[in-house]
Amino acid sequence: MPIRTTTIDTTLAEVFGFSEFRPHQREIIEHITQGGDAFVLMPTGGGKSLCYQIPALHMPGTAIVVSPLISLMKDQVDALQANGVRAACLNSSLDADQASATLRDLREGALDLLYVAPERLMLPGFLNVLHTCDIALFAIDEAHCVSQWGHDFRPTYVALGELRELFPRTPLIALTATADDQTREDVRIRLHIATAPVFAAGFDRPNIRYTVADKRQAPQQLARFVSEFPDDSGIVYCLSRKRVEQVAARLKSSGVAAAAYHAGLSAPERTRVQDAFLADEIRVVVATVAFGMGIDKPDVRFVVHYDLPKSIESYYQETGRSGRDGLPAEALLLFGLQDAMTARMLIESGSNPDQVRIELHKLQTMIAFAEATTCRRRVLLGYFGERQPQECGNCDVCLDPPQLYDATVDAQKALSAVHRTGQRFGIGHVVDVLRGRSTDKVGEWGHEGLSVFGVGEELSVDEWTSVIRQLIHHGHLTQDIAAYSALKFTETTGDVLRGDVELQFARPRAKAPKAAKAPKRSRALEGLEVDEELFERLRELRTVLAAEAGVPAYVVFADRTLADMAARRPTTPEEMLEVHGVGAAKLRRYGEAFLEVVGDARG
Ligand code: ADP
Ligand code: ZN
């Protein structure tokens, strides 16, 4: 039976179980249902899917959704079906019988939405079939894949540019979370929707807390952080396969349900890890950037960058995979100077000078973010061209502001020590000289005799290291990777030594930065007191039901729904419908079982 409700508000409530539209959703939905094309720019988790799913339910015919990833299609279709929507997908994972059944449904107008891969859609035979059907709209998800400017170009997307002409009367909506101007314009031109309105939602994800910590003993830092989320899902990103394997093995040996994921693993193994992650059997996936594109898990509670990401775009996209459900989430970046140096060296070894220049610039911006002493969110949003007048109050800088002090004299001492030791030593030795430590190396080089030996006794190793690091970040020193990371002067070093510039540096934080506390569920929904015990029971029921149905847990109900349920404790089907994320279909399917658990908890 097709779902037919009178207004888009009733569809939102009765089919999807949500009480309010998110910013821009209503305008977009109305614009599409009136037959317009649209370009939608929303951050990951912003709620792009509803922008075409609701029109699909309000317009005659089938909505065709183009999606690049088979795993994503399947999850979306599962979730829609759980809400009682007639959705299907057509891709290489289906056998011939399944595919022809789906085609028949399409021809008979028995589908509200059909998800297809771009290469399938543009097959002449398939286009002919579409011409004989009633098509409500075309939705092109991950539309940035059409542009070579984007980070994710897919040649199969290029042909989609023909759709606008082939189906001149059918609304076309392109959606992406990729922000930069160049890609944006390119996508609109290539899809022939350059004159269509652009709906751009803010890029802020206020529920994500951004934290940057100095990378010191990364394995311990990670272990401590992960242990703060004993029941939650998270992703740890590393730059190399080898590192992924090491980190995953270490987590596993400390009893965390973790797994490695990278392009070197076999396809079945990768699928296994993804599925187990979706089913909450694997809690932490340690991955290279290859992981995540196909993952639409709304309750990822943390994302850790174990290594420095290559650009703010990728960092933002990867951290954006946490907290899609709108509940508090954590993004932790472990920032090590050595990582920055290695990344720079790798880039500089490239052969295309333009590419090298662009990548170095991106890396530099990423480092500037990590080094920022102002609100992280402000730096991030600023990068995407959004101004944020107030400090966010939910990043490490806002929560634990660094103390700035006049470091001019300290900087001069450090630079003198670099100079007197001949610009041939790394940070460790220079700090030893400053602090007057008689190490073997100091003896060997006769550095006790230098005038700078011991001029900085009053500062700790951490403090001196921090001064030198900040000199490097400000460009007053460089590290020569080719020569054992020796510290060297730059053009501006003289300005500092002469006292022409005054340096405001941040004091190193007193304690090693600790992971922010795991978000308390009770804080999750304002004003509601969540019964944690009941929440756990509801979660157990969800695990059972999801396993029976062979779908990821969140397809049954999202964490947010369970939290709301555990707070409201509904006793009747009507009350159950009030719960966030409970629509008519889910009430029919799961209502009774969950009402029973709530009832038991009362008794
Ligand atoms: P995107 O595709 O933009 O990354 P999704 O469409 O997957 O995001 O939506 C992210 C999450 O937000 C999903 O769990 C979805 O159910 C939820 N969501 C979307 N719109 C609303 C809304 N109006 N109210 C409540 N939750 C919503
Ligand atoms: Zn902030």
Side-chain angles (χ1 to χ4, degrees):
M1 270 287 290
I3 295 170
R4 288 291 170 253
T5 58
T6 44
T7 67
I8 61 173
D9 294 86
T10 43
T11 304
L12 181 72
E14 290 178 12
V15 179
F16 295 95
F18 301 142
S19 50
E20 275 169 46
F21 282 109
R22 295 234 181 109
H24 297 288
Q25 285 178 330
R26 178 190 295 281
E27 297 149 69
I28 298 166
I29 292 168
E30 286 174 350
H31 178 77
I32 300 288
T33 40
Q34 283 158 19
D37 293 344
F39 182 72
V40 173
L41 195 67
M42 263 188 203
T44 308
K48 286 187 282 300
S49 325
L50 283 190
C51 297
Y52 54 83
Q53 289 170 347
I54 291 187
L57 296 175
H58 280 264
M59 298 167 79
T62 306
I64 306 294
V65 185
V66 183
S67 173
L69 292 154
I70 293 179
S71 59
L72 262 186
M73 283 186 208
K74 186 179 169 309
D75 293 344
Q76 293 249 12
V77 168
D78 284 346
L80 283 167
Q81 287 176 349
N83 281 328
V85 177
R86 304 176 309 166
C89 58
L90 210 47
N91 60 42
S92 55
S93 76
L94 303 186
D95 63 34
D97 285 349
Q98 290 169 317
S100 59
T102 303
L103 274 176
R104 193 186 54 232
D105 286 347
L106 171 67
R107 283 209 181 86
E108 290 174 359
L111 290 176
D112 298 310
L113 290 114
L114 177 66
Y115 286 72
V116 290
E119 51 275 28
R120 157 82 63 146
L121 172 62
M122 300 315 287
L123 289 178
F126 190 67
L127 288 171
N128 286 340
V129 173
L130 289 188
H131 273 296
T132 65
C133 302
D134 233 352
I135 303 302
L137 59 97
F138 288 101
I140 300 180
D141 207 2
E142 314 283 354
H144 59 275
C145 293
V146 76
S147 168
Q148 261 158 321
W149 289 105
H151 48 91
D152 233 11
F153 175 61
R154 284 168 191 251
T156 53
Y157 257 64
V158 174
L160 297 174
E162 295 168 31
L163 278 179
R164 185 56 304 160
E165 275 193 358
L166 290 171
F167 297 85
R169 287 169 201 286
T170 313
L172 192 149
I173 170 173
L175 311 99
T176 176
T178 289
D180 76 273
D181 277 350
Q182 216 154 28
T183 314
R184 206 186 293 190
E185 282 318 298
D186 197 37
V187 170
R188 297 174 65 216
I189 290 166
R190 283 170 178 272
L191 292 177
H192 301 287
I193 52 168
T195 56
V198 175
F199 297 88
F203 268 72
D204 190 15
R205 299 280 309 279
N207 59 317
I208 301 180
R209 175 180 300 175
Y210 298 97
T211 304
V212 180
D214 283 342
K215 193 172 186 175
R216 288 182 193 169
Q217 288 160 316
Q220 287 85 331
Q221 282 175 301
L222 180 66
R224 203 182 328 126
F225 182 80
V226 169
S227 73
E228 306 225 2
F229 301 82
D231 303 313
D232 295 315
S233 304
I235 306 174
V236 178
Y237 285 109
C238 305
L239 276 188
S240 69
R241 293 176 191 185
K242 198 171 119 209
R243 180 99 84 176
V244 163
E245 298 281 357
Q246 284 168 349
V247 172
R250 228 180 269 122
L251 283 176
K252 273 194 271 191
S253 73
S254 64
V256 177
Y261 184 104
H262 55 69
L265 298 173
S266 69
E269 171 62 4
R270 274 183 291 161
T271 311
R272 187 194 69 81
V273 172
Q274 276 202 11
D275 290 348
F277 186 57
L278 290 175
D280 292 332
E281 289 154 19
I282 287 175
R283 206 160 67 70
V284 181
V285 171
V286 185
T288 53
V289 292
F291 184 76
M293 256 289 265
I295 294 295
D296 218 347
K297 190 169 163 54
D299 58 355
V300 174
R301 290 270 71 82
F302 63 88
V303 167
V304 177
H305 282 88
Y306 197 87
D307 297 315
L308 188 66
K310 292 199 175 79
S311 68
I312 295 227
E313 284 101 329
S314 40
Y315 170 72
Y316 200 63
Q317 192 163 44
E318 285 147 22
T319 55
R321 291 179 183 137
S322 67
R324 284 179 184 228
D325 53 11
L327 297 184
E330 299 279 343
L332 172 68
L333 165 64
L334 295 180
F335 176 61
L337 202 52
Q338 202 54 49
D339 288 354
M341 295 299 151
T342 316
R344 168 180 291 273
M345 201 170 61
L346 274 176
I347 293 173
E348 282 173 344
S349 68
S351 53
N352 176 341
D354 283 341
Q355 194 77 17
V356 169
R357 192 174 41 79
I358 293 171
E359 284 181 23
L360 278 181
H361 174 77
K362 292 196 165 182
L363 178 69
Q364 209 45 56
T365 329
M366 187 64 224
I367 293 174
F369 165 79
E371 283 298 318
T373 48
T374 54
C375 173
R376 306 271 179 213
R377 198 175 306 272
R378 185 177 278 170
V379 178
L380 280 174
L381 294 178
Y383 181 80
F384 293 116
E386 243 175 70
R387 264 176 40 79
Q388 185 192 244
Q390 254 125 44
E391 313 224 295
C392 79
N394 194 25
C395 72
D396 62 318
V397 176
C398 284
L399 293 167
D400 181 15
Q403 289 176 341
L404 296 181
Y405 75 109
D406 182 347
T408 314
V409 174
D410 287 346
Q412 288 168 341
K413 287 183 185 172
L415 293 175
S416 303
V418 171
H419 177 62
R420 298 284 169 204
T421 51
Q423 302 188 42
R424 42 197 308 188
F425 296 91
I427 296 179
H429 183 68
V430 171
V431 170
D432 284 342
V433 169
L434 281 162
R435 302 186 67 239
R437 301 285 112 161
S438 301
T439 63
D440 289 352
K441 202 165 178 181
V442 165
E444 195 181 311
W445 290 89
H447 285 164
E448 285 115 335
L450 297 177
S451 56
V452 289
F453 188 73
V455 291
E457 273 173 326
E458 70 287 0
L459 297 191
S460 69
V461 175
D462 276 354
E463 285 167 318
W464 276 122
T465 307
S466 161
V467 168
I468 295 177
R469 281 174 66 132
Q470 293 182 71
L471 279 168
I472 296 170
H473 298 310
H474 283 75
H476 303 311
L477 274 180
T478 62
Q479 254 181 321
D480 186 349
I481 298 282
Y484 307 102
S485 301
L487 296 166
K488 303 232 146 112
F489 281 12
T490 69
E491 297 103 74
T492 60
T493 310
D495 301 345
V496 180
L497 283 170
R498 280 191 303 274
D500 290 350
V501 284
E502 192 187 294
L503 297 175
Q504 289 286 319
F505 280 3
R507 283 197 196 284
R509 312 235 173 124
K511 352 180 238 331
K514 192 167 160 308
K517 266 266 165 270
K520 257 274 175 261
R521 249 163 243 119
S522 351
R523 271 204 282 127
L525 298 153
E526 308 75 39
L528 289 180
E529 193 71 21
V530 175
D531 179 337
E532 299 281 333
E533 218 182 292
L534 177 54
F535 179 88
E536 286 312 322
R537 285 204 212 148
L538 296 171
R539 201 152 132 143
E540 284 161 21
L541 173 61
R542 177 180 69 176
T543 308
V544 174
L545 293 175
E548 277 174 8
V551 295
Y554 67 80
V555 167
V556 176
F557 282 133
D559 274 7
R560 182 161 197 160
T561 299
L562 299 189
D564 200 28
M565 209 180 283
R568 292 174 188 259
R569 304 167 144 271
T571 53
T572 63
E574 291 71 38
E575 285 175 14
M576 191 57 119
L577 272 177
E578 297 282 297
V579 173
H580 175 96
V582 182
K586 287 197 179 169
L587 178 69
R588 263 200 312 280
R589 199 162 306 186
Y590 305 122
E592 206 174 319
F594 281 91
L595 279 171
E596 199 171 304
V597 171
V598 176
D600 283 354
R602 264 171 202 270

